[in-house]
Amino acid sequence: QGYHRIDSDLVLPRVRAAIEKDCDLIAQGGAEKEAVVEHALATFQAKYGYFVSEIGRMDPLFEASFSVHEGSQGTPFCRCGLTRRYLNLIP
């Protein structure tokens, strides 16, 4: 559900189908392997960058599944490298 919220292509078979089609073109001599690989890598690099920039859209899904531990807030343990929020250690 979270991946769909950010980029459905990460879940649906469209990207894989496009790469398989490009592989068929290589096999038939209609495309160069290097160009197809470069295009696929650029596509996934762009998708990764977009996913990272939109990761906050997954927070509501986590908040719906996880709650604060009752009776103990824990102690600050470490900081998330992405959000810079403190993660609490709950003994």
Side-chain angles (χ1 to χ4, degrees):
Q1 194 177 23
Y3 289 102
H4 275 293
R5 185 173 285 198
I6 296 173
D7 184 353
S8 291
D9 282 340
L10 296 174
V11 180
L12 301 174
R14 290 187 292 242
V15 173
R16 181 178 176 159
I19 291 173
E20 288 177 0
K21 183 179 175 186
D22 290 344
C23 288
D24 286 342
L25 283 174
I26 293 169
Q28 297 167 3
E32 293 293 323
K33 175 186 147 194
E34 292 77 17
V36 169
V37 169
E38 186 176 323
H39 180 263
L41 289 174
T43 298
F44 279 102
Q45 186 175 22
K47 287 188 169 298
Y48 176 78
Y50 181 73
F51 188 87
V52 168
S53 72
E54 298 294 317
I55 195 72
R57 295 171 71 185
M58 296 213 18
D59 284 346
L61 297 174
F62 284 111
E63 290 167 359
S65 298
F66 301 99
S67 61
V68 174
H69 188 269
E70 294 298 322
S72 173
Q73 295 298 320
T75 57
F77 179 66
C78 64
R79 214 172 201 172
C80 175
L82 181 63
T83 65
R84 308 302 297 157
R85 293 181 187 164
Y86 279 100
L87 304 175
N88 291 333
L89 175 64
I90 301 174

Short mmCIF file of all heavy atoms in Angstrom, two decimals, residues 1 6 11 13 18 25-27 32 34 39 41 46 51 56-57 61 72 83 86 88:
data_model
loop_
_atom_site.label_atom_id
_atom_site.label_comp_id
_atom_site.label_asym_id
_atom_site.label_seq_id
_atom_site.Cartn_x
_atom_site.Cartn_y
_atom_site.Cartn_z
N GLN A 1 0.83 -1.19 0.00
CA GLN A 1 0.00 0.00 0.00
C GLN A 1 0.88 1.26 0.00
O GLN A 1 0.58 2.20 -0.70
CB GLN A 1 -0.92 -0.03 1.20
CG GLN A 1 -2.03 0.96 1.14
CD GLN A 1 -2.95 0.83 2.34
OE1 GLN A 1 -2.58 0.33 3.39
NE2 GLN A 1 -4.16 1.29 2.18
N ILE A 6 3.34 6.09 -3.16
CA ILE A 6 4.45 6.90 -3.64
C ILE A 6 4.67 6.71 -5.14
O ILE A 6 4.78 7.68 -5.89
CB ILE A 6 5.74 6.60 -2.85
CG1 ILE A 6 5.54 7.00 -1.39
CG2 ILE A 6 6.94 7.31 -3.46
CD1 ILE A 6 6.67 6.60 -0.47
N VAL A 11 5.41 -1.41 -7.81
CA VAL A 11 4.64 -2.58 -7.45
C VAL A 11 4.06 -3.28 -8.68
O VAL A 11 4.08 -4.50 -8.78
CB VAL A 11 3.50 -2.20 -6.47
CG1 VAL A 11 2.68 -3.40 -6.08
CG2 VAL A 11 4.05 -1.49 -5.26
N PRO A 13 3.60 -4.41 -12.69
CA PRO A 13 4.58 -4.99 -13.61
C PRO A 13 4.94 -4.15 -14.83
O PRO A 13 5.65 -4.62 -15.71
CB PRO A 13 3.91 -6.30 -14.04
CG PRO A 13 2.45 -6.03 -13.93
CD PRO A 13 2.31 -5.08 -12.74
N ALA A 18 8.36 -3.31 -19.60
CA ALA A 18 9.08 -2.43 -20.52
C ALA A 18 10.53 -2.88 -20.69
O ALA A 18 11.07 -2.89 -21.81
CB ALA A 18 9.04 -0.99 -20.02
N LEU A 25 14.10 -6.40 -27.92
CA LEU A 25 14.67 -5.57 -28.98
C LEU A 25 16.16 -5.83 -29.14
O LEU A 25 16.68 -5.88 -30.27
CB LEU A 25 14.43 -4.08 -28.70
CG LEU A 25 13.05 -3.55 -28.99
CD1 LEU A 25 12.93 -2.10 -28.52
CD2 LEU A 25 12.74 -3.64 -30.47
N ILE A 26 16.86 -6.01 -28.03
CA ILE A 26 18.29 -6.33 -28.09
C ILE A 26 18.49 -7.65 -28.82
O ILE A 26 19.33 -7.77 -29.72
CB ILE A 26 18.91 -6.41 -26.68
CG1 ILE A 26 18.91 -5.04 -26.01
CG2 ILE A 26 20.34 -6.96 -26.75
CD1 ILE A 26 19.26 -5.07 -24.53
N ALA A 27 17.69 -8.66 -28.45
CA ALA A 27 17.80 -9.99 -29.06
C ALA A 27 17.52 -9.96 -30.56
O ALA A 27 18.12 -10.72 -31.32
CB ALA A 27 16.85 -10.96 -28.36
N GLU A 32 20.72 -1.46 -28.77
CA GLU A 32 22.03 -1.79 -28.22
C GLU A 32 21.90 -2.06 -26.72
O GLU A 32 21.20 -1.33 -26.01
CB GLU A 32 23.02 -0.64 -28.44
CG GLU A 32 23.35 -0.40 -29.90
CD GLU A 32 24.14 -1.56 -30.50
OE1 GLU A 32 24.99 -2.14 -29.80
OE2 GLU A 32 23.88 -1.89 -31.68
N GLU A 34 23.97 -1.62 -24.26
CA GLU A 34 24.45 -0.54 -23.40
C GLU A 34 23.40 0.56 -23.25
O GLU A 34 23.21 1.09 -22.16
CB GLU A 34 25.76 0.05 -23.95
CG GLU A 34 26.95 -0.89 -23.86
CD GLU A 34 26.95 -1.98 -24.93
OE1 GLU A 34 26.22 -1.85 -25.95
OE2 GLU A 34 27.67 -2.97 -24.73
N HIS A 39 19.42 3.23 -19.92
CA HIS A 39 18.05 3.74 -19.76
C HIS A 39 17.39 3.14 -18.52
O HIS A 39 16.74 3.86 -17.73
CB HIS A 39 17.23 3.44 -21.01
CG HIS A 39 15.83 3.93 -20.92
ND1 HIS A 39 14.79 3.11 -20.55
CD2 HIS A 39 15.29 5.16 -21.12
CE1 HIS A 39 13.66 3.81 -20.53
NE2 HIS A 39 13.94 5.05 -20.87
N LEU A 41 18.85 1.88 -15.83
CA LEU A 41 19.50 2.41 -14.63
C LEU A 41 19.05 3.85 -14.35
O LEU A 41 18.81 4.22 -13.20
CB LEU A 41 21.02 2.34 -14.75
CG LEU A 41 21.62 0.93 -14.67
CD1 LEU A 41 23.11 0.98 -14.95
CD2 LEU A 41 21.34 0.29 -13.34
N ALA A 46 16.05 7.58 -11.01
CA ALA A 46 15.05 8.63 -10.86
C ALA A 46 13.93 8.18 -9.91
O ALA A 46 13.47 8.96 -9.07
CB ALA A 46 14.47 9.01 -12.22
N PHE A 51 11.28 8.38 -4.68
CA PHE A 51 10.81 7.64 -3.52
C PHE A 51 11.38 8.25 -2.23
O PHE A 51 10.65 8.46 -1.26
CB PHE A 51 11.21 6.17 -3.63
CG PHE A 51 10.60 5.30 -2.57
CD1 PHE A 51 9.34 4.76 -2.75
CD2 PHE A 51 11.28 5.03 -1.40
CE1 PHE A 51 8.76 3.97 -1.77
CE2 PHE A 51 10.72 4.24 -0.41
CZ PHE A 51 9.46 3.71 -0.60
N GLY A 56 7.96 10.53 3.32
CA GLY A 56 7.06 11.00 4.36
C GLY A 56 5.61 10.61 4.12
O GLY A 56 4.81 10.58 5.06
N ARG A 57 5.26 10.28 2.89
CA ARG A 57 3.89 9.86 2.59
C ARG A 57 3.57 8.49 3.19
O ARG A 57 2.41 8.08 3.24
CB ARG A 57 3.66 9.85 1.08
CG ARG A 57 3.77 11.27 0.50
CD ARG A 57 3.76 11.29 -0.99
NE ARG A 57 2.43 10.95 -1.49
CZ ARG A 57 2.16 10.80 -2.78
NH1 ARG A 57 3.11 10.96 -3.67
NH2 ARG A 57 0.95 10.51 -3.16
N LEU A 61 0.77 5.52 7.24
CA LEU A 61 0.56 4.07 7.25
C LEU A 61 1.23 3.44 8.47
O LEU A 61 0.69 2.54 9.10
CB LEU A 61 1.12 3.45 5.97
CG LEU A 61 0.43 3.90 4.69
CD1 LEU A 61 1.14 3.36 3.47
CD2 LEU A 61 -1.02 3.47 4.69
N SER A 72 5.31 4.02 28.93
CA SER A 72 6.73 4.33 28.83
C SER A 72 7.01 5.01 27.50
O SER A 72 6.66 4.50 26.45
CB SER A 72 7.56 3.05 28.93
OG SER A 72 8.92 3.35 28.69
N THR A 83 15.21 11.48 8.72
CA THR A 83 14.27 12.47 9.27
C THR A 83 14.87 13.29 10.41
O THR A 83 14.30 14.29 10.80
CB THR A 83 13.00 11.79 9.81
OG1 THR A 83 13.37 10.95 10.92
CG2 THR A 83 12.32 10.98 8.73
N TYR A 86 14.53 11.59 16.83
CA TYR A 86 15.10 10.65 17.76
C TYR A 86 14.26 9.39 17.83
O TYR A 86 13.03 9.44 17.85
CB TYR A 86 15.21 11.27 19.16
CG TYR A 86 16.41 12.16 19.31
CD1 TYR A 86 16.29 13.54 19.21
CD2 TYR A 86 17.68 11.62 19.51
CE1 TYR A 86 17.39 14.37 19.32
CE2 TYR A 86 18.79 12.43 19.61
CZ TYR A 86 18.65 13.80 19.53
OH TYR A 86 19.74 14.61 19.63
N ASN A 88 13.33 6.21 20.16
CA ASN A 88 13.35 5.92 21.59
C ASN A 88 13.57 4.44 21.85
O ASN A 88 12.99 3.59 21.17
CB ASN A 88 12.05 6.37 22.24
CG ASN A 88 11.92 7.86 22.29
OD1 ASN A 88 12.91 8.57 22.30
ND2 ASN A 88 10.69 8.33 22.29
#
